[in-house]
Amino acid sequence: ESIYDKASFEKERERLIEYEFITKTEGELTDADKIIEFLTSDTMQSLLKSGSYFKEKRFMFTVSADELGIENCNEKIIVQGVLDCYFLTPDGAVIVDYKTDRVTTESELTDRYAVQLDMYEKALLTTENIKTDKKLIYSFALSKFITL
């Protein structure tokens, strides 16, 4: 069932509250219009059409300390995390990271999260042998995708 319209979204929100995936307060704070705008965006429609998308992808790999900017250190560092979403295109993976930070400019997010998305790119290459075509942040505050 689609949640691309407000009535369907409200029904899904009530289901999530009923089954305690979210609290009533969290449900009330959820902005239906922003979520529907995100889900109906060109990028998310491309994701659905790709037929090959992955959500909440856990990863773990090692990286040398110097790759993280730690000088004079030969140690390996374990990097682990969860990639929000990626989908495959003929040119490689498109990484989509959702952010709810209350920001007013794109640069606040790109400055804050560039290294994180670089690690997602490295995780896909290292653990899945998948090259990345694009890295995107979706800002709910700005209601837009930002390319890194």
Side-chain angles (χ1 to χ4, degrees):
E1 183 175 334
S2 169
I3 61 167
Y4 298 148
D5 62 76
K6 205 156 191 162
S8 297
F9 178 86
E10 296 299 338
K11 185 177 175 184
E12 176 65 6
R13 179 178 9 211
E14 290 305 314
R15 185 188 74 78
L16 293 172
I17 293 168
E18 178 183 346
Y19 289 100
E20 298 180 351
F21 288 105
I22 61 175
T23 66
K24 185 172 183 176
T25 301
E26 290 168 334
E28 290 168 354
L29 292 173
T30 307
D31 186 331
D33 293 330
K34 284 189 179 277
I35 292 175
I36 291 167
E37 182 178 4
F38 166 70
L39 291 172
T40 58
S41 69
D42 290 344
T43 299
M44 294 311 289
Q45 292 305 303
S46 294
L47 175 148
L48 293 172
K49 288 177 187 169
S50 77
S52 188
Y53 60 91
F54 306 85
K55 302 180 291 182
E56 302 298 322
K57 177 72 173 167
R58 294 187 182 282
F59 63 85
M60 183 168 51
F61 64 96
T62 60
V63 63
S64 62
D66 63 328
E67 285 184 73
L68 296 176
I70 301 169
E71 296 180 19
N72 302 319
C73 183
N74 296 335
E75 306 233 355
K76 292 282 187 184
I77 296 173
I78 295 173
V79 178
Q80 64 179 354
V82 179
L83 201 159
D84 285 345
C85 178
Y86 73 93
F87 64 98
L88 301 178
T89 71
D91 297 322
V94 176
I95 295 171
V96 180
D97 195 41
Y98 326 119
K99 297 297 180 195
T100 57
D101 304 41
R102 293 177 189 244
V103 296
T104 56
T105 66
E106 292 180 20
S107 64
E108 289 176 85
L109 291 171
T110 56
D111 293 347
R112 197 175 292 165
Y113 294 108
V115 172
Q116 180 181 350
L117 270 80
D118 288 346
M119 288 297 106
Y120 291 167
E121 179 178 15
K122 186 162 183 65
L124 282 179
L125 187 59
T126 303
T127 65
E128 305 290 330
N129 199 29
I130 296 172
K131 291 184 181 177
T132 298
D133 178 44
K134 289 182 192 170
K135 295 179 286 189
L136 305 172
I137 290 174
Y138 185 80
S139 168
F140 282 94
L142 301 176
S143 296
K144 68 189 296 186
F145 283 93
I146 302 161
T147 303
L148 281 93

